[in-house]
């Protein structure tokens, strides 16, 4: 069976699975249609296959984290970034109150504390240009201009008491400087970037295509930094489910509390699933099921060896 057929089948199979609930973190997230369900595949050749409401927009939330980490790596190099944020999974909730490692760093850039520190590393002339730089960087991965959903941004900025608490603690421990409110605001903005499964899958296809966008042929990240980003996504991308995910699915994936999962099949495709009903860890319930079945069916697990001939039969 081909991948395009498989996602149609999986969409049909899980369409009526209404397990889980939408995020209650802030009003804009709790008001979305809980039953929306879309799957998109963007291949490294630039072809896109959509099933369901693939044009329905949603905020990228935590799936922004690997991209802002990529930008920080591109701007400063990994030796500098490594001094500020580590690369160890935490085994804890993504928004748990900070624990720093023995070098006074958040554990990794995929949990909120590490992501807020990473946003603070983004360099530009002033705050407005930082926002612009970030948006352009994300857009290059998508191969199309992306924008910020202001309603989502306002809703998070006015309700993210825990992220404020985390940031004040980061300031207290001198991990962040006195500009931390601006850094946190940039983080809220990056989480509010509006995507749909179609554009998100293309962002993943760029990661799957050695860092080159399949549509524009623009290199978005160096080969070395791409390896760093994919390693972090692989070990930390599904929060405190990352170990089990590596065991079962065996591919780098990043989830966000808006209900999306971005799965990267290196050398083949980016796959985006949107289904806002979440499990207790904040991962999309149907998103997990679709990824598990795809990995199983096509032997995508990185430790399942596939010959080039076998791979050519998938698309
Ligand atoms: N903006 C959300 C937050 O900081 C992102 C979290 C997520 O998607 N896991 O809480």
């Amino acid at each position: 069976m081909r991948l395009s057929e498989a996602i149609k089948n999986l969409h049909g199979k899980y369409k009526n699975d209404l397990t889980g609930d939408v995020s209650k973190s802030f009003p804009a997230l709790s008001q979305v249609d809980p039953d929306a369900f879309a799957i998109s595949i963007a291949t490294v050749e630039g072809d896109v296959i959509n099933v369901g409401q693939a044009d329905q927009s949603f905020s990228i939330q935590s799936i922004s984290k690997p991209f802002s980490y990529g930008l920080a790596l591109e701007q400063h190099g990994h030796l500098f970034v490594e001094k500020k944020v580590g690369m160890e999974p935490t085994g804890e909730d993504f928004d748990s109150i900070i624990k720093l490692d023995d070098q006074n760093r958040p554990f990794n850039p995929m949990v909120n504390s590490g992501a807020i520190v990473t946003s603070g590393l983004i360099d530009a002339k002033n705050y407005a240009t930082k926002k612009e730089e970030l948006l352009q960087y994300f857009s290059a991965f998508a191969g199309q201009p992306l924008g910020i959903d202001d309603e989502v941004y306002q809703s998070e900025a006015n309700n993210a008491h825990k992220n404020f608490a985390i940031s004040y603690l980061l300031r207290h421990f001198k991990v962040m400087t006195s500009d931390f409110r601006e850094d946190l605001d940039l983080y809220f903005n990056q989480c509010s970037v509006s995507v749909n499964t179609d554009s998100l899958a293309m962002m993943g296809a760029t990661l799957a295509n050695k860092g080159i966008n399949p549509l524009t042929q623009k290199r978005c990240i160096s080969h070395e930094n791409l390896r760093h980003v994919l390693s972090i996504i692989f070990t930390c991308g599904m929060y405190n489910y990352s170990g089990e995910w590596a065991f079962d699915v065996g591919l780098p994936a990043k989830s966000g509390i808006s209900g999306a999962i971005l799965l990267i099949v290196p050398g083949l495709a980016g796959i985006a699933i949107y289904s806002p009903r979440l499990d207790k860890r904040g991962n999309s319930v149907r998103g997990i099921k679709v990824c598990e079945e795809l990995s199983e069916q096509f032997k995508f697990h990185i430790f399942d060896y596939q010959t080039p001939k076998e791979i050519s039969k998938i698309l």
Side-chain angles (χ1 to χ4, degrees), residues 67 136-146 195 198-200 202-204 206 213 215-216 220:
F67 296 98
Q136 273 177 20
Y137 192 66
F138 284 28
S139 302
F141 276 89
Q144 56 182 285
L146 299 175
V195 290
D198 186 283
S199 54
L200 188 60
M202 193 54 78
M203 293 176 84
T206 303
N213 179 274
L215 298 177
T216 63
C220 299

PDB file of all heavy atoms in Angstrom, residues 67 136-146 195 198-200 202-204 206 213 215-216 220:
ATOM      1  N   PHE A  67      12.132  25.029  15.667  1.00  0.00           N
ATOM      2  CA  PHE A  67      12.498  25.996  14.632  1.00  0.00           C
ATOM      3  C   PHE A  67      13.215  27.205  15.249  1.00  0.00           C
ATOM      4  O   PHE A  67      14.183  27.712  14.681  1.00  0.00           O
ATOM      5  CB  PHE A  67      11.261  26.392  13.812  1.00  0.00           C
ATOM      6  CG  PHE A  67      10.691  25.210  13.062  1.00  0.00           C
ATOM      7  CD1 PHE A  67       9.614  24.499  13.556  1.00  0.00           C
ATOM      8  CD2 PHE A  67      11.283  24.772  11.887  1.00  0.00           C
ATOM      9  CE1 PHE A  67       9.111  23.380  12.889  1.00  0.00           C
ATOM     10  CE2 PHE A  67      10.796  23.656  11.203  1.00  0.00           C
ATOM     11  CZ  PHE A  67       9.714  22.956  11.711  1.00  0.00           C
ATOM     12  N   GLN A 136      10.116  35.149   9.430  1.00  0.00           N
ATOM     13  CA  GLN A 136      10.713  34.862   8.121  1.00  0.00           C
ATOM     14  C   GLN A 136      11.407  33.510   8.131  1.00  0.00           C
ATOM     15  O   GLN A 136      11.381  32.771   7.145  1.00  0.00           O
ATOM     16  CB  GLN A 136      11.721  35.943   7.761  1.00  0.00           C
ATOM     17  CG  GLN A 136      11.061  37.106   7.058  1.00  0.00           C
ATOM     18  CD  GLN A 136      12.026  38.229   6.764  1.00  0.00           C
ATOM     19  OE1 GLN A 136      13.233  38.030   6.742  1.00  0.00           O
ATOM     20  NE2 GLN A 136      11.490  39.418   6.555  1.00  0.00           N
ATOM     21  N   TYR A 137      12.016  33.193   9.256  1.00  0.00           N
ATOM     22  CA  TYR A 137      12.712  31.910   9.362  1.00  0.00           C
ATOM     23  C   TYR A 137      11.705  30.759   9.272  1.00  0.00           C
ATOM     24  O   TYR A 137      11.896  29.809   8.513  1.00  0.00           O
ATOM     25  CB  TYR A 137      13.495  31.859  10.675  1.00  0.00           C
ATOM     26  CG  TYR A 137      14.460  30.705  10.737  1.00  0.00           C
ATOM     27  CD1 TYR A 137      15.560  30.647   9.888  1.00  0.00           C
ATOM     28  CD2 TYR A 137      14.259  29.652  11.622  1.00  0.00           C
ATOM     29  CE1 TYR A 137      16.445  29.578   9.920  1.00  0.00           C
ATOM     30  CE2 TYR A 137      15.139  28.577  11.671  1.00  0.00           C
ATOM     31  CZ  TYR A 137      16.218  28.553  10.819  1.00  0.00           C
ATOM     32  OH  TYR A 137      17.083  27.485  10.849  1.00  0.00           O
ATOM     33  N   PHE A 138      10.602  30.872  10.001  1.00  0.00           N
ATOM     34  CA  PHE A 138       9.562  29.843   9.955  1.00  0.00           C
ATOM     35  C   PHE A 138       8.989  29.746   8.537  1.00  0.00           C
ATOM     36  O   PHE A 138       8.725  28.658   8.022  1.00  0.00           O
ATOM     37  CB  PHE A 138       8.426  30.167  10.933  1.00  0.00           C
ATOM     38  CG  PHE A 138       8.729  29.893  12.388  1.00  0.00           C
ATOM     39  CD1 PHE A 138      10.018  29.949  12.892  1.00  0.00           C
ATOM     40  CD2 PHE A 138       7.709  29.588  13.276  1.00  0.00           C
ATOM     41  CE1 PHE A 138      10.293  29.711  14.233  1.00  0.00           C
ATOM     42  CE2 PHE A 138       7.961  29.330  14.620  1.00  0.00           C
ATOM     43  CZ  PHE A 138       9.255  29.401  15.097  1.00  0.00           C
ATOM     44  N   SER A 139       8.764  30.904   7.917  1.00  0.00           N
ATOM     45  CA  SER A 139       8.170  30.945   6.577  1.00  0.00           C
ATOM     46  C   SER A 139       9.073  30.259   5.553  1.00  0.00           C
ATOM     47  O   SER A 139       8.578  29.601   4.626  1.00  0.00           O
ATOM     48  CB  SER A 139       7.918  32.393   6.145  1.00  0.00           C
ATOM     49  OG  SER A 139       7.071  33.034   7.064  1.00  0.00           O
ATOM     50  N   ALA A 140      10.374  30.410   5.716  1.00  0.00           N
ATOM     51  CA  ALA A 140      11.315  29.774   4.777  1.00  0.00           C
ATOM     52  C   ALA A 140      11.145  28.254   4.836  1.00  0.00           C
ATOM     53  O   ALA A 140      11.161  27.571   3.805  1.00  0.00           O
ATOM     54  CB  ALA A 140      12.747  30.173   5.116  1.00  0.00           C
ATOM     55  N   PHE A 141      10.938  27.710   6.032  1.00  0.00           N
ATOM     56  CA  PHE A 141      10.716  26.261   6.170  1.00  0.00           C
ATOM     57  C   PHE A 141       9.406  25.843   5.494  1.00  0.00           C
ATOM     58  O   PHE A 141       9.322  24.778   4.896  1.00  0.00           O
ATOM     59  CB  PHE A 141      10.674  25.854   7.648  1.00  0.00           C
ATOM     60  CG  PHE A 141      12.035  25.622   8.244  1.00  0.00           C
ATOM     61  CD1 PHE A 141      12.739  26.651   8.827  1.00  0.00           C
ATOM     62  CD2 PHE A 141      12.629  24.369   8.201  1.00  0.00           C
ATOM     63  CE1 PHE A 141      14.006  26.451   9.367  1.00  0.00           C
ATOM     64  CE2 PHE A 141      13.895  24.142   8.741  1.00  0.00           C
ATOM     65  CZ  PHE A 141      14.586  25.198   9.323  1.00  0.00           C
ATOM     66  N   ALA A 142       8.391  26.714   5.619  1.00  0.00           N
ATOM     67  CA  ALA A 142       7.081  26.386   5.033  1.00  0.00           C
ATOM     68  C   ALA A 142       7.059  26.639   3.531  1.00  0.00           C
ATOM     69  O   ALA A 142       6.182  26.130   2.832  1.00  0.00           O
ATOM     70  CB  ALA A 142       5.991  27.204   5.720  1.00  0.00           C
ATOM     71  N   GLY A 143       8.004  27.447   3.046  1.00  0.00           N
ATOM     72  CA  GLY A 143       8.024  27.794   1.622  1.00  0.00           C
ATOM     73  C   GLY A 143       6.878  28.727   1.253  1.00  0.00           C
ATOM     74  O   GLY A 143       6.495  28.829   0.082  1.00  0.00           O
ATOM     75  N   GLN A 144       6.322  29.407   2.247  1.00  0.00           N
ATOM     76  CA  GLN A 144       5.243  30.373   2.025  1.00  0.00           C
ATOM     77  C   GLN A 144       5.170  31.299   3.236  1.00  0.00           C
ATOM     78  O   GLN A 144       5.601  30.914   4.332  1.00  0.00           O
ATOM     79  CB  GLN A 144       3.897  29.653   1.846  1.00  0.00           C
ATOM     80  CG  GLN A 144       3.551  28.757   3.009  1.00  0.00           C
ATOM     81  CD  GLN A 144       2.240  28.020   2.805  1.00  0.00           C
ATOM     82  OE1 GLN A 144       1.172  28.579   2.921  1.00  0.00           O
ATOM     83  NE2 GLN A 144       2.328  26.739   2.484  1.00  0.00           N
ATOM     84  N   PRO A 145       4.645  32.522   3.055  1.00  0.00           N
ATOM     85  CA  PRO A 145       4.620  33.450   4.195  1.00  0.00           C
ATOM     86  C   PRO A 145       3.642  33.012   5.285  1.00  0.00           C
ATOM     87  O   PRO A 145       2.497  32.673   4.992  1.00  0.00           O
ATOM     88  CB  PRO A 145       4.184  34.788   3.566  1.00  0.00           C
ATOM     89  CG  PRO A 145       3.727  34.491   2.201  1.00  0.00           C
ATOM     90  CD  PRO A 145       4.145  33.112   1.812  1.00  0.00           C
ATOM     91  N   LEU A 146       4.109  32.987   6.510  1.00  0.00           N
ATOM     92  CA  LEU A 146       3.255  32.639   7.649  1.00  0.00           C
ATOM     93  C   LEU A 146       2.995  33.905   8.461  1.00  0.00           C
ATOM     94  O   LEU A 146       3.792  34.850   8.412  1.00  0.00           O
ATOM     95  CB  LEU A 146       3.951  31.592   8.536  1.00  0.00           C
ATOM     96  CG  LEU A 146       4.284  30.245   7.882  1.00  0.00           C
ATOM     97  CD1 LEU A 146       5.068  29.369   8.854  1.00  0.00           C
ATOM     98  CD2 LEU A 146       3.012  29.520   7.426  1.00  0.00           C
ATOM     99  N   VAL A 195      -0.587  28.083  11.289  1.00  0.00           N
ATOM    100  CA  VAL A 195      -0.269  27.107  10.233  1.00  0.00           C
ATOM    101  C   VAL A 195      -1.513  26.264   9.957  1.00  0.00           C
ATOM    102  O   VAL A 195      -2.525  26.396  10.646  1.00  0.00           O
ATOM    103  CB  VAL A 195       0.896  26.162  10.664  1.00  0.00           C
ATOM    104  CG1 VAL A 195       2.219  26.904  10.724  1.00  0.00           C
ATOM    105  CG2 VAL A 195       0.604  25.475  11.998  1.00  0.00           C
ATOM    106  N   ASP A 198      -1.162  21.430   5.953  1.00  0.00           N
ATOM    107  CA  ASP A 198      -0.483  21.537   4.666  1.00  0.00           C
ATOM    108  C   ASP A 198       0.858  22.283   4.813  1.00  0.00           C
ATOM    109  O   ASP A 198       1.916  21.791   4.407  1.00  0.00           O
ATOM    110  CB  ASP A 198      -1.444  22.280   3.717  1.00  0.00           C
ATOM    111  CG  ASP A 198      -0.935  22.344   2.306  1.00  0.00           C
ATOM    112  OD1 ASP A 198      -0.039  23.148   2.023  1.00  0.00           O
ATOM    113  OD2 ASP A 198      -1.459  21.584   1.483  1.00  0.00           O
ATOM    114  N   SER A 199       0.826  23.465   5.446  1.00  0.00           N
ATOM    115  CA  SER A 199       2.077  24.244   5.582  1.00  0.00           C
ATOM    116  C   SER A 199       3.008  23.612   6.621  1.00  0.00           C
ATOM    117  O   SER A 199       4.239  23.633   6.471  1.00  0.00           O
ATOM    118  CB  SER A 199       1.782  25.702   5.925  1.00  0.00           C
ATOM    119  OG  SER A 199       0.958  25.801   7.061  1.00  0.00           O
ATOM    120  N   LEU A 200       2.411  23.037   7.665  1.00  0.00           N
ATOM    121  CA  LEU A 200       3.247  22.416   8.700  1.00  0.00           C
ATOM    122  C   LEU A 200       3.994  21.197   8.145  1.00  0.00           C
ATOM    123  O   LEU A 200       5.181  20.990   8.437  1.00  0.00           O
ATOM    124  CB  LEU A 200       2.374  22.014   9.897  1.00  0.00           C
ATOM    125  CG  LEU A 200       3.107  21.527  11.134  1.00  0.00           C
ATOM    126  CD1 LEU A 200       4.048  22.593  11.701  1.00  0.00           C
ATOM    127  CD2 LEU A 200       2.115  21.110  12.224  1.00  0.00           C
ATOM    128  N   MET A 202       4.975  20.811   5.188  1.00  0.00           N
ATOM    129  CA  MET A 202       6.075  21.301   4.352  1.00  0.00           C
ATOM    130  C   MET A 202       7.265  21.755   5.214  1.00  0.00           C
ATOM    131  O   MET A 202       8.421  21.584   4.827  1.00  0.00           O
ATOM    132  CB  MET A 202       5.576  22.436   3.448  1.00  0.00           C
ATOM    133  CG  MET A 202       6.520  22.803   2.335  1.00  0.00           C
ATOM    134  SD  MET A 202       7.020  21.409   1.279  1.00  0.00           S
ATOM    135  CE  MET A 202       5.579  21.207   0.241  1.00  0.00           C
ATOM    136  N   MET A 203       6.975  22.318   6.395  1.00  0.00           N
ATOM    137  CA  MET A 203       8.068  22.669   7.309  1.00  0.00           C
ATOM    138  C   MET A 203       8.832  21.396   7.688  1.00  0.00           C
ATOM    139  O   MET A 203      10.060  21.384   7.756  1.00  0.00           O
ATOM    140  CB  MET A 203       7.528  23.351   8.578  1.00  0.00           C
ATOM    141  CG  MET A 203       6.926  24.720   8.324  1.00  0.00           C
ATOM    142  SD  MET A 203       6.183  25.457   9.787  1.00  0.00           S
ATOM    143  CE  MET A 203       7.609  26.200  10.597  1.00  0.00           C
ATOM    144  N   GLY A 204       8.071  20.322   7.887  1.00  0.00           N
ATOM    145  CA  GLY A 204       8.690  19.036   8.210  1.00  0.00           C
ATOM    146  C   GLY A 204       9.458  18.466   7.035  1.00  0.00           C
ATOM    147  O   GLY A 204      10.523  17.864   7.205  1.00  0.00           O
ATOM    148  N   THR A 206      11.060  20.098   4.884  1.00  0.00           N
ATOM    149  CA  THR A 206      12.352  20.796   4.815  1.00  0.00           C
ATOM    150  C   THR A 206      13.352  20.132   5.768  1.00  0.00           C
ATOM    151  O   THR A 206      14.522  19.951   5.434  1.00  0.00           O
ATOM    152  CB  THR A 206      12.164  22.298   5.147  1.00  0.00           C
ATOM    153  OG1 THR A 206      11.208  22.828   4.235  1.00  0.00           O
ATOM    154  CG2 THR A 206      13.461  23.067   5.051  1.00  0.00           C
ATOM    155  N   ASN A 213      14.223  23.563   1.563  1.00  0.00           N
ATOM    156  CA  ASN A 213      12.786  23.535   1.287  1.00  0.00           C
ATOM    157  C   ASN A 213      12.522  22.940  -0.091  1.00  0.00           C
ATOM    158  O   ASN A 213      13.084  23.402  -1.086  1.00  0.00           O
ATOM    159  CB  ASN A 213      12.203  24.952   1.380  1.00  0.00           C
ATOM    160  CG  ASN A 213      10.721  24.952   1.078  1.00  0.00           C
ATOM    161  OD1 ASN A 213      10.310  25.033  -0.077  1.00  0.00           O
ATOM    162  ND2 ASN A 213       9.912  24.814   2.114  1.00  0.00           N
ATOM    163  N   LEU A 215      10.097  23.186  -2.125  1.00  0.00           N
ATOM    164  CA  LEU A 215       9.434  24.042  -3.121  1.00  0.00           C
ATOM    165  C   LEU A 215      10.360  25.138  -3.621  1.00  0.00           C
ATOM    166  O   LEU A 215      10.463  25.390  -4.817  1.00  0.00           O
ATOM    167  CB  LEU A 215       8.177  24.695  -2.516  1.00  0.00           C
ATOM    168  CG  LEU A 215       7.067  23.762  -2.060  1.00  0.00           C
ATOM    169  CD1 LEU A 215       5.942  24.553  -1.412  1.00  0.00           C
ATOM    170  CD2 LEU A 215       6.545  22.949  -3.239  1.00  0.00           C
ATOM    171  N   THR A 216      11.029  25.817  -2.684  1.00  0.00           N
ATOM    172  CA  THR A 216      11.852  26.978  -3.071  1.00  0.00           C
ATOM    173  C   THR A 216      13.316  26.601  -3.299  1.00  0.00           C
ATOM    174  O   THR A 216      14.078  27.398  -3.830  1.00  0.00           O
ATOM    175  CB  THR A 216      11.811  28.047  -1.967  1.00  0.00           C
ATOM    176  OG1 THR A 216      12.387  27.475  -0.777  1.00  0.00           O
ATOM    177  CG2 THR A 216      10.386  28.488  -1.666  1.00  0.00           C
ATOM    178  N   CYS A 220      17.532  26.159   4.591  1.00  0.00           N
ATOM    179  CA  CYS A 220      17.030  26.866   5.765  1.00  0.00           C
ATOM    180  C   CYS A 220      17.910  26.649   6.987  1.00  0.00           C
ATOM    181  O   CYS A 220      17.830  27.398   7.960  1.00  0.00           O
ATOM    182  CB  CYS A 220      15.616  26.397   6.092  1.00  0.00           C
ATOM    183  SG  CYS A 220      14.455  26.722   4.774  1.00  0.00           S
TER     184      CYS A 220
END
